[in-house]
Amino acid sequence: MVTMNGALIKLEDLRKVFYTDEVETHALAGVNLEIREGEYVAIAGPSGCGKSTLLSILGLLDTPSDGTYYLSGETVSSLSRRDRAYVRNRQIGFIFQAFNLIGDLTVHENVELPLTYRDIPKGERQERVAQALERVQMSHRAKHYPSQLSGGQQQRVAVARAIAGRPVILLADEPTGNLDSKNGEAVMNLLDELHREGATICMVTHDPRYADHADRAIHLFDGQIVREENGNRGKLHELEQAGFELKQASHG
């Protein structure tokens, strides 16, 4: 076990290079990042800056060219494809821009599917699915198919699928990208609620309004972290901490 000072995720000098026709594209160029348990982090930046590449590596869908990735204290950057799939299925929940629901499965079956790969008894699977659908207010649509749902409802089902596995971290890739503003805000409010209940969330977004929902925003440019800043939640925490310290000093 690696000691990480409480970090759930730790990246050390992470690099990713793509080779095409003898051309090197440096998608990530030395990223160092820590995400603590219970933290809500937004990864922001323009198109082509490396956001999606970074999220793919965090989700063990891709491997870095160099550098080290620790997840829950274990080195995962050099795992085999089979071992990455094992860890991914048990520790990571995904929320995709395109929902990625299976059209010929019902809402219930879509949420249950990832659990079937984990040898979870049927009774427990049913209970987890019911709890997850209730959490996103989609229980009444359990027998419907994705084509019978609005975009906002499909994204809620995608969130239910992600949280049913009880992952250590939720990775959201532009979760509002295919939604109108009303449904986008509804999904962001749902993520806010999950975070308040203790979920660790890492979200890729190009929209500064949504980045402000996070505790901390990481800004990428040309594959590098160029700045970090607190989101509205982080700023609120700073104010609360400053008020607490001032109160303590006045009673000192």
Side-chain angles (χ1 to χ4, degrees):
M1 180 66 70
V2 179
T3 301
M4 294 170 48
N5 299 321
L8 178 62
I9 280 177
K10 184 174 182 179
L11 308 180
E12 293 181 343
D13 198 28
L14 207 72
R15 299 173 183 273
K16 181 66 178 182
V17 183
F18 294 103
Y19 298 93
T20 55
D21 298 329
E22 300 181 356
V23 175
E24 291 186 8
T25 301
H26 293 259
L28 297 175
V31 172
N32 294 283
L33 176 65
E34 291 189 8
I35 299 176
R36 298 180 297 277
E37 184 176 359
E39 193 175 16
Y40 188 171
V41 173
I43 300 175
S47 297
C49 71
K51 302 189 302 293
S52 293
T53 299
L54 179 56
L55 202 73
S56 292
I57 292 175
L58 289 175
L60 300 179
L61 296 170
D62 200 357
T63 56
S65 303
D66 200 5
T68 308
Y69 173 14
Y70 300 103
L71 174 63
S72 299
E74 300 288 348
T75 307
V76 296
S77 40
S78 57
L79 290 178
S80 68
R81 179 176 295 183
R82 181 177 180 179
D83 288 340
R84 290 204 313 272
Y86 180 88
V87 173
R88 183 169 62 242
N89 186 252
R90 284 157 178 77
Q91 297 198 48
I92 299 170
F94 291 95
I95 305 167
F96 298 100
Q97 175 178 342
F99 318 138
N100 287 13
L101 301 178
I102 299 175
D104 58 356
L105 296 183
T106 66
V107 163
H108 185 287
E109 291 166 341
N110 266 283
V111 176
E112 183 182 19
L113 184 62
L115 303 178
T116 63
Y117 301 127
R118 293 172 54 174
D119 298 323
I120 296 174
K122 184 176 181 179
E124 183 180 347
R125 292 203 309 267
Q126 301 292 314
E127 183 179 353
R128 287 197 187 194
V129 172
Q131 290 174 347
L133 288 176
E134 182 178 0
R135 182 68 196 79
V136 301
Q137 300 178 1
M138 287 297 292
S139 300
H140 62 299
R141 295 283 194 166
K143 295 182 180 180
H144 287 72
Y145 291 88
S147 62
Q148 298 173 304
L149 307 177
S150 68
Q153 289 172 330
Q154 289 187 58
Q155 193 61 292
R156 285 181 173 273
V157 175
V159 173
R161 179 183 56 193
I163 64 176
R166 298 173 186 170
V168 299
I169 187 166
L170 286 172
L171 300 180
D173 189 3
E174 298 279 9
T176 63
N178 282 345
L179 303 176
D180 58 34
S181 59
K182 181 179 179 180
N183 280 308
E185 284 295 337
V187 168
M188 291 305 303
N189 289 337
L190 177 57
L191 293 179
D192 289 346
E193 291 174 15
L194 292 171
H195 175 241
R196 284 194 295 269
E197 293 170 4
T200 307
I201 301 174
C202 182
M203 174 186 66
V204 160
T205 182
H206 68 278
D207 193 324
R209 297 173 303 166
Y210 297 143
D212 262 347
H213 283 249
D215 296 319
R216 183 163 53 110
I218 309 296
H219 293 267
L220 287 183
F221 188 77
D222 286 347
Q224 295 179 311
I225 295 176
V226 292
R227 77 177 191 275
E228 295 187 23
E229 61 187 9
N230 286 333
N232 285 338
R233 292 184 179 280
K235 292 171 185 174
L236 179 61
H237 177 73
E238 275 190 340
L239 290 173
E240 290 174 343
Q241 184 64 28
F244 174 77
E245 292 175 353
L246 183 61
K247 185 176 180 181
Q248 290 292 99
S250 66
H251 288 291

